[in-house]
Amino acid sequence: MSLASTGSPASPEPSVLHGDGDGAGIAALSRPYRVAAAVVLAAVAVTTCVHLGMVFLSLAPANTVTKKHGKVVEDWVYPEFEQNWKLFAPNPLQQNIAVQARAKVRTKGGGLYTTGWYDLSAQDGAAIDGNLAPSHTQQNQLRRGWDFLVATHGTDDRFVGVRGALAEHYVRRIVVMRLYRGDTLGKEGVIQSVQVRSRTTNVRPPAWSGEKISVKPVYRMLSWWTVPGDEAAGGVR
């Protein structure tokens, strides 16, 4: 006589359902969200390709595209995305250049006074000192803005080329924003005008080189710039 198993019958394997909302990543989203994500990714990809193309055209030799659409390329690239190759030049930059600024402030009582000089470059240096991942703005906004201004102005501080006014406007807005930072001047009054100067010091050569250079600071002083009303009221903070 055979003995029948008295154990409970085996449970059937759970079925795996494949439908909308299953999976991982974008596939886990519902159809409308997947469509939205795809549109966003496509927009990011297109913008990235356009940006890389614009930067390439700004660096490439003159060609048919830049001759016809050069203004569009410049408006896209300058001044924030301009490329600088001084690090790789035959004679790399061997100077420390600090950008400093002061302001004329109209107090709440109606008086007018001139502040001392603020070393904006030193403030940027302090902000990135010890920072393992400093922002691009902290490292390059002020420095590249000053390079842009110097490249578009002669030694008499007059425009050289068509972008001189843009350079002045850009640097002025950076300076006003930095002076209002912390709201110290904002509590005292309203900035009426600003003046910018650079302090250039040659990097001291190593002792073994035998090279003799002056390490005395050299200043370049610009004229006072009037601050428009919307900026003076803190519109660029």
Side-chain angles (χ1 to χ4, degrees), residues 166-220:
L166 173 63
E168 284 192 5
H169 180 75
Y170 183 62
V171 173
R172 186 190 69 233
R173 287 176 66 87
I174 292 175
V175 168
V176 173
M177 178 179 65
R178 298 292 179 88
L179 292 180
Y180 270 127
R181 181 175 293 173
D183 206 34
T184 301
L185 292 183
K187 292 178 179 178
E188 296 178 0
V190 178
I191 295 177
Q192 302 296 297
S193 58
V194 294
Q195 187 176 33
V196 183
R197 72 179 184 184
S198 65
R199 181 181 186 271
T200 303
T201 309
N202 291 321
V203 176
R204 192 182 299 275
W208 49 262
S209 71
E211 184 180 0
K212 303 296 183 182
I213 62 172
S214 173
V215 292
K216 182 179 179 180
V218 176
Y219 291 89
R220 177 176 179 175

Side-chain angles (χ1 to χ4, degrees), residues 26 30 36 61 74 82 97 141 160 176 199 205 234:
I26 294 180
S30 62
E74 286 190 357
E82 181 182 7
I97 301 176
Q141 183 187 53
V160 177
V176 173
R199 181 181 186 271

Side-chain angles (χ1 to χ4, degrees), residues 6-27:
T6 58
S8 58
S11 301
E13 292 293 332
S15 60
V16 179
L17 301 178
H18 298 281
D20 235 19
D22 289 337
I26 294 180

